[in-house]
Amino acid sequence: MRPLICEIRLNYLRENYLTLKKIHGNKLLAVVKANAYGHGAVRCAQALHDIADGFAVACLEEAIELRENQITKPILLLEGVFEAQEYDLVDKWDLWTVVHHQAQLEQLLAHDWQKPATVWLKMDSGMHRAGFFPHNFAAAHTALSQSNKVAKIVKMTHFACADETERGMTDMQVETFDLACDGLTGESSLANSAAMLRYPETRRDWGRAGLALYGIAPVSEHSGSLKPVMRLSSQVFAERVLQPHEPIGYGATFYTKRSTRVGLVACGYADGYPRRASSDTPVAVKGLRTKIIGRVSMDMLTVDLNDSHEGVGDVVELFGDVISVNEVAAAAGTIAYEVVCNVKRAKKVYIS
Ligand SMILES: *Cc1c(COP(=O)(O)O)cnc(C)c1O
C-alpha cells in the first residue's frame, strides 16, 4: 500500500483548545470551517465537543454536516446566509448566524422565525472585506435589538493584519470598533488566533480560533505552547546514486554538485503537497532533516539522502513534529492555512 499517511492527533487538538481558551479567557469558538482546515470537521468537532463553547463554520452545508453527526453545541455561520431561504434551515438546525450586510439584515427581520435568532453583527473596522461600516453599525444594531425576532446580538469584527509585525493596522481597527460600539449593549468578539496571542486588548467575550487550534503558530513567538495536530508522512520507496552534474526530475531544474544518494518518496502535488516547494524545502527522513531536490511531481518527490544512513523503507515526514508546516509554506511562497487545507488522497489516521 502507498505509505502516505495524514495523522490527525486529536489529543493535541484538545490540548490546543484548552491552551487557547486559557490565553483568551471567557469563551472560545473552535473554527472548523473548510473541513477543519483539512483535518476533518466531524472528527475534530466530536473530539472537542465536551470542552468547546461552540464551533464556527463558513456555511450552512458545513453546519448541517456537524448537526447530523451529533454536534449539539452552538454553531456560528461566519458568513451568514447566502440567500434568504437559508434562514429556514438556520432556524430548524438552531444555528447562530453572522449578519454582515444590509440585505442579510432585512431578510433576517422579514423571516418568520420559530424561535428568536442569535445574531453576530459584523463591523468592517478597516479590513474592507465584509461588515457594516462603523457609521452604519449602530443603526443596524438598533434595528436588530428592537425586533422580537432577535434573541441576542454579539458585536464582532475581523482583523486584516493581526499576524503581521506592524501593529498599527490592528490598533486602529480595535479603536474604530470600540468607538463605533460606544453605548451598544451585548457581548463582543474580536480575536482570531493571531490576535488573541498578540493583542490582549482583543480578548473579549468570545474568541474565534482556527489556525492555532491546529497547532500552527500564526506568529513565530508563540510556536512553543501549541502542538501540531496534522502530521503528513510517507516513506522512501526507492533510492539511487547519481554522479556529479546530473539532473533530477521534470524540467531538469536541479543538478547534483557531487555524488548524490537520492531517495524517492511517495508524496506529490496530487496529494496537496505544494509543487512550488521544490528544491531546498525541508523534509525529515527518520527524524533527520534533509531537503527536497528537483521538482515535486504529481505522485512523487525526491530527497537528498547524503550524509545519512537512511534509505528505502524509512519514514519521511513532510511536516508535523520535526518540520513545521510554516516552513513548508514559506518555501512554497504560501501560508500554512493553504498547505493544510489542500492535503488530500493521503490516508487519514485519527489518533486520540
Ligand atoms: C477563519 C476565521 C477565523 C479563524 O481565523 P484563524 O486565523 O485561523 O484563527 C476567525 N474569524 C473569522 C471571521 C474567520 O473567517
Side-chain angles (χ1 to χ4, degrees), residues 158-172:
H158 192 57
F159 298 114
C161 305
D163 56 356
E164 285 171 21
T165 332
E166 176 56 54
R167 302 179 75 91
M169 177 78 177
T170 306
D171 292 339
M172 191 270 308

Side-chain angles (χ1 to χ4, degrees), residues 29 32 41-43 45-46 49 52-57 59-77 89-97 115 118:
L29 292 182
V32 294
V42 169
R43 295 297 298 261
Q46 286 173 342
H49 200 251
D53 299 310
F55 298 95
V57 295
C59 59
L60 194 58
E61 292 85 344
E62 293 180 346
I64 292 173
E65 188 192 19
L66 296 183
R67 283 280 184 260
E68 287 177 339
N69 285 279
Q70 291 75 52
I71 302 302
T72 56
K73 289 275 173 81
I75 301 177
L76 174 67
L77 304 178
L89 294 167
V90 170
D91 199 6
K92 175 183 167 196
W93 291 101
D94 200 12
L95 306 173
W96 295 355
T97 187
K115 38 188 181 314
T118 293

